[in-house]
């Protein structure tokens, strides 16, 4: 849920809930008053009392307006009786604080107490007299003899307690209290959905700033907070991965320097030994000197090839070599590759052949030179580790719905199945026999970089003592045969 929507719902509930509680409380209060305390709180009774109050106050206001002219006492009493008859009202007239006249049924003692009560309770609209509650209207009157008196108008309303005033007080009180409680609860619940995720986020960012990148940030809360937590979690994971990659690169760099030092030391030691042999006149015949010089040249060539492979691998690893992709017929391309490598394999008594299981012409988009380097590196690797008198290398082509699979299989020394996944690591050699083999140790690592640069995949399968298969998967395209 979005914060804006939650805010609208929260504000709406803050208004509606107190109203509903107030209505319910008023309804319950009315039932209790009616059933238990036997109070008439019907609308008709409320309307009747309102009418009586209105008549009393209207009559008091009328007398007050006519107070400019002196009135005759007897005529005034008659006037009061007529006006009060409709709602069984009564009156008390006081002069100088004492009761002068009162309606029939009110003794002077009760009248005097009522007058004093009205005077003390200035502003009160209800008084009690003889166990009956009356609505009070008070005004001044001027008589003909010049005396100014007070007229107390009394309208009976039944019992002492004004149930309607209590209802109003209850309704107002319940509404105010419920509004305060609902506001507190909704504010707490609303803030909890925001403050709690922010607090968790704050703790997580503090841990991250201290270098602890393992503190997972939970994604919860409203939509905006959820996205914010998700963004921080993605940032944490990315930061952790980048640090992990940096550590890995540092370790790889150390391994790289160590491997280069080890691989370069052997040919350099050999070159140094042969040069010393020439300087010490150990090679004292033209034939020996020629052999020494050719050996030195061969070792230097080996070092040069190792440095070239290292530079190529570094550039591929840094994506500094662009690929020049062209459409090629895969069958014709491998026929060309086999033609290139066959003379060298013949010298080592290794046969190579192509098995084409493709049903029709298949084209791929490749960098011809870079992919040729991949094929040559794999074939050269098979040649180096060939331990059979009759060696063979088979290149098999087959296809799936979207890709073409190239399998290059040999019957060489083979690789332990536990180590088969490591052969594409730079400078990796699976056993002592392989570690003594000439080469940079980067051939298959370079092949992997190039294949992945073609958005392809390369992997290997061990056949134990029967050899190894290197497989390459490349996306195929449709088209006519290249000319």
């Amino acid at each position: 849920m979005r914060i804006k929507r939650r805010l609208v719902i929260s504000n709406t509930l803050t208004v509606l809930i107190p109203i509903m509680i107030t209505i319910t409380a008023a309804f319950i209060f009315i039932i209790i008053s009616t059933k238990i305390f036997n109070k008439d709180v019907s609308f008709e009774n409320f309307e009747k009392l309102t009418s009586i109050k209105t008549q009393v106050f209207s009559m008091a206001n009328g007398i007050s307006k006519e107070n400019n002219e002196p009135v005759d006492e007897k005529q005034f009493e008659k006037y009061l009786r007529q006006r009060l008859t409709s709602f069984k009202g009564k009156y008390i007239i006081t002069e100088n604080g004492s009761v002068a006249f009162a309606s029939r049924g009110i003794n002077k003692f009760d009248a005097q107490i009522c007058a004093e009560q009205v005077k003390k309770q200035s502003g009160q609209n209800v008084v009690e007299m003889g166990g009956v509650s009356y609505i009070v209207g008070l005004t001044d009157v001027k008589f003909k003899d010049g005396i100014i008196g007070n007229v107390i108008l009394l309208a009976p309303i039944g019992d002492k307690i004004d149930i309607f005033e209590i209802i109003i007080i209850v309704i107002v009180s319940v509404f105010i209290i419920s509004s305060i409680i609902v506001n507190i609860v909704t504010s707490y619940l609303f803030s909890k959905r925001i403050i709690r995720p922010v607090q968790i986020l704050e703790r997580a960012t503090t841990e991250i700033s201290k270098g602890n990148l393992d503190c997972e940030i939970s994604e919860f809360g409203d939509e905006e907070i959820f996205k914010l937590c998700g963004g921080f979690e993605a940032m944490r994971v990315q930061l952790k991965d980048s640090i992990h990659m940096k550590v890995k690169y540092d370790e790889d760099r150390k391994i790289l320097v160590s491997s280069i030092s080890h691989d370069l030391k052997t040919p350099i030691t050999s070159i140094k030994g042969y040069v010393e042999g020439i300087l010490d006149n150990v090679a004292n015949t033209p034939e020996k000197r020629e052999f020494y010089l050719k050996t030195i040249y061969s070792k230097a060539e080996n070092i040069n090839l190792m440095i070239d492979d290292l530079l190529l691998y570094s550039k591929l690893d840094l994506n500094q070599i662009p690929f020049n992709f062209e459409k090629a017929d895969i069958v014709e391309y491998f026929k060309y590759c086999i033609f290139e490598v066959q003379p060298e394999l013949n010298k080592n008594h290794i046969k190579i052949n192509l098995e084409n299981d493709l049903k029709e012409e298949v084209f791929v988009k490749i960098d011809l030179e870079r992919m040729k380097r991949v094929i040559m590196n794999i074939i050269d690797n098979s040649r180096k580790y060939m331990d059979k008198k009759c060696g063979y290398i088979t290149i098999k082509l087959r296809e799936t719905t979207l890709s073409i699979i190239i399998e290059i299989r040999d019957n060489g020394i083979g690789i332990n199945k536990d180590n088969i996944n490591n052969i594409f690591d730079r400078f990796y050699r699976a056993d002592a026999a392989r570690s003594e083999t000439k080469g940079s140790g980067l051939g298959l690592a370079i092949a992997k970089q190039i294949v992945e640069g073609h958005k392809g995949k390369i992997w290997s399968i061990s056949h134990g003592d029967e050899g190894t298969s290197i497989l390459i998967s490349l996306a195929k395209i449709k088209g006519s045969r290249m000319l």
Side-chain angles (χ1 to χ4, degrees):
M1 185 183 295
R2 298 184 67 85
I3 293 177
K4 182 179 179 181
R5 185 180 178 186
R6 185 177 294 278
L7 187 61
V8 171
I9 294 173
S10 176
N11 290 338
T12 304
L13 292 177
T14 302
V15 175
L16 290 180
I17 292 176
I19 292 175
M20 293 173 65
I21 292 174
T22 302
I23 293 172
T24 305
F27 183 72
I28 293 172
F29 183 81
I30 290 171
I31 293 175
I32 293 173
S33 299
T34 304
K35 302 297 182 181
I36 299 177
F37 297 107
N38 198 27
K39 302 292 183 180
D40 187 2
V41 291
S42 63
F43 177 75
E44 291 79 7
N45 191 36
F46 177 76
E47 186 178 28
K48 177 182 176 182
L49 291 177
T50 303
S51 175
I52 291 172
K53 287 183 179 181
T54 303
Q55 291 183 54
V56 170
F57 296 137
S58 174
M59 186 175 173
N61 289 332
I63 294 171
S64 178
K65 290 180 180 179
E66 297 173 358
N67 198 28
N68 293 328
E69 298 293 333
V71 296
D72 181 72
E73 293 179 359
K74 292 183 178 181
Q75 292 295 327
F76 185 63
E77 281 188 85
K78 184 179 180 182
Y79 167 75
L80 292 177
R81 285 195 299 270
Q82 290 177 350
R83 291 291 304 272
L84 295 172
T85 301
S86 60
F87 50 87
K88 298 180 181 180
K90 297 182 180 181
Y91 63 89
I92 298 172
I93 300 174
T94 63
E95 296 177 357
N96 298 323
S98 299
V99 176
F101 306 99
S103 295
R104 292 177 183 177
I106 301 177
N107 58 57
K108 287 193 175 183
F109 179 76
D110 289 340
Q112 186 65 40
I113 293 175
C114 180
E116 291 176 359
Q117 188 178 357
V118 172
K119 186 176 180 181
K120 289 179 181 179
Q121 298 178 351
S122 179
Q124 296 294 326
N125 295 325
V126 179
V127 295
E128 183 187 5
M129 185 174 60
V132 180
S133 296
Y134 293 90
I135 294 175
V136 178
L138 179 63
T139 186
D140 297 333
V141 64
K142 184 178 180 182
F143 298 104
K144 287 185 177 182
D145 55 6
I147 299 174
I148 296 177
N150 297 113
V151 180
I152 302 173
L153 303 176
L154 303 171
I157 58 173
D159 296 334
K160 179 181 177 181
I161 301 175
D162 189 348
I163 194 67
F164 295 105
E165 291 184 359
I166 296 176
I167 289 177
I168 293 172
I169 293 172
V170 169
I171 289 174
V172 172
S173 301
V174 170
F175 182 78
I176 293 173
I177 294 171
S178 61
S179 295
I180 293 172
I181 294 173
V182 170
N183 267 282
I184 292 173
V185 172
T186 54
S187 298
Y188 171 75
L189 295 176
F190 180 75
S191 61
K192 185 179 178 181
R193 298 290 297 182
I194 299 177
I195 293 175
R196 188 181 173 195
V198 171
Q199 288 175 338
I200 293 174
L201 194 58
E202 181 185 8
R203 288 195 294 269
T205 52
T206 301
E207 290 296 320
I208 291 173
S209 66
K210 292 178 181 178
N212 179 17
L213 298 177
D214 294 323
C215 54
E216 184 177 352
I217 301 173
S218 301
E219 300 177 13
F220 69 98
D222 289 325
E223 185 175 341
E224 294 85 349
I225 304 297
F226 185 89
K227 289 181 179 179
L228 180 63
C229 292
F232 270 93
E233 174 63 10
M235 181 184 69
R236 181 191 70 82
V237 172
Q238 188 174 2
L239 183 59
K240 184 178 180 180
D241 290 343
S242 64
I243 292 176
H244 176 73
M245 290 301 297
K246 182 179 181 301
V247 172
K248 183 177 181 299
Y249 284 144
D250 290 341
E251 290 296 324
D252 288 349
R253 192 179 298 109
K254 292 177 183 178
I255 296 172
L256 180 62
V257 172
S258 175
S259 300
I260 292 171
S261 301
H262 177 269
D263 287 349
L264 289 178
K265 187 175 181 180
T266 301
I268 289 175
T269 301
S270 298
I271 290 172
K272 183 179 177 182
Y274 283 109
V275 171
E276 287 177 352
I278 294 174
L279 294 176
D280 294 341
N281 204 28
V282 174
N284 51 12
T285 64
E287 289 81 8
K288 283 187 176 182
R289 281 195 296 273
E290 183 180 1
F291 174 76
Y292 276 35
L293 291 172
K294 284 183 177 180
T295 304
I296 291 170
Y297 180 80
S298 175
K299 298 294 182 182
E301 277 289 315
N302 188 26
I303 291 173
N304 188 55
L305 289 173
M306 290 172 62
I307 293 173
D308 287 344
D309 284 347
L310 181 62
L311 289 174
L312 176 60
Y313 179 83
S314 298
K315 289 180 178 179
L316 288 169
D317 197 33
L318 296 172
N319 296 320
Q320 292 181 347
I321 295 182
F323 289 96
N324 182 26
F325 293 104
E326 300 179 44
K327 187 171 75 170
D329 184 325
I330 194 67
V331 176
E332 295 298 323
Y333 180 73
F334 271 93
K335 286 181 180 179
Y336 167 75
C337 290
I338 290 173
F339 177 78
E340 286 281 312
V341 77
Q342 198 159 23
E344 184 67 24
L345 294 177
N346 289 337
K347 292 179 183 179
N348 292 271
H349 308 289
I350 298 174
K351 295 181 179 180
I352 185 170
N353 66 298
L354 177 67
E355 292 184 6
N356 180 16
D357 290 341
L358 303 177
K359 297 178 181 179
E360 57 182 4
E361 290 181 326
V362 176
F363 294 87
V364 291
K365 212 166 188 178
I366 58 175
D367 184 317
L368 301 179
E369 289 300 318
R370 301 297 176 201
M371 190 55 65
K372 179 183 175 183
R373 180 66 179 267
V374 171
I375 305 305
M376 295 305 175
N377 282 0
I378 295 173
I379 293 175
D380 190 55
N381 206 59
S382 298
R383 179 187 62 79
K384 288 177 184 178
Y385 301 116
M386 181 62 67
D387 63 341
K388 307 294 191 303
K389 290 183 180 180
C390 298
Y392 71 84
I393 297 173
T394 301
I395 300 176
K396 187 174 183 178
L397 304 178
R398 60 180 185 272
E399 63 181 319
T400 64
T401 305
L402 300 175
S403 61
I404 181 169
I405 307 298
I406 304 155
E407 180 181 0
I408 303 175
R409 178 172 180 173
D410 62 54
N411 66 335
I413 192 172
I415 302 173
N416 190 302
K417 291 183 178 180
D418 296 333
N419 301 322
I420 195 68
N421 294 324
N422 300 324
I423 65 173
F424 297 102
D425 297 341
R426 53 192 178 191
F427 303 111
Y428 178 81
R429 293 185 175 95
D431 50 40
R434 286 178 177 266
S435 63
E436 294 173 0
T437 304
K438 295 180 181 180
S440 65
L442 291 171
L444 292 182
I446 290 172
K448 181 181 178 182
Q449 291 278 21
I450 294 174
V451 171
E452 290 179 350
H454 283 70
K455 307 298 181 185
K457 183 180 178 182
I458 185 170
W459 69 100
S460 56
I461 298 175
S462 174
H463 303 291
D465 295 335
E466 297 180 3
T468 305
S469 291
I470 305 294
L471 295 96
I472 300 170
S473 173
L474 297 173
K476 62 182 180 180
I477 59 174
K478 293 183 179 181
S480 58
R481 180 183 292 274
M482 294 183 62
L483 299 176

